């Protein structure tokens, strides 16, 4: 029996014009007796899959913990205010 993909959510990827992230639950990803996984895929222009990771549900809590640690580390790094050098809310062009 082939794998079954159930779409959970699709959303626009930040800092891109039309790339998307698609989250899916996948039943029998590697054959009849394989355990389900979560698929996280990036689609370029909303159509062409350019990257994908499949995470077994047994690793989801550890995955969430690592994501939260990554966000905390990112938040701890000082950065300049977005477009602060322009004293404006949006960037300029050349």
């Amino acid at each position: 029996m082939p794998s079954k993909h159930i779409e959970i959510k699709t959303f626009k990827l930040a800092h891109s014009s039309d790339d998307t992230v698609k989250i899916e639950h996948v039943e029998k990803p590697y054959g009849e007796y394989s355990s389900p996984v979560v698929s996280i895929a990036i689609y370029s222009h909303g159509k062409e899959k350019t990257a994908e990771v499949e995470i077994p549900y047994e690793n989801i809590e550890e995955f969430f913990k690592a994501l939260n640690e990554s966000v905390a580390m990112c938040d701890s790094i000082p950065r300049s205010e977005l477009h602060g050098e322009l004293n404006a809310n949006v960037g300029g062009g050349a």
Side-chain angles (χ1 to χ4, degrees), residues 2 4 11-12 15 29 40 45 48 51 61 63-65 67 70 75 79-80 84 86 92-93:
K4 180 179 180 182
F11 54 93
K12 183 183 176 306
H15 311 292
I40 303 168
H45 307 294
E48 180 184 346
E61 290 301 320
F63 181 74
F64 288 158
K65 181 179 177 187
L67 287 176
S70 180
D75 289 345
R79 291 190 176 71
S80 299
L86 300 174

Side-chain angles (χ1 to χ4, degrees), residues 7 12 22 52 61 72 77-78 89:
E7 185 173 335
K12 183 183 176 306
K22 184 186 281 188
E52 179 180 21
E61 290 301 320
I77 298 172
N89 292 329

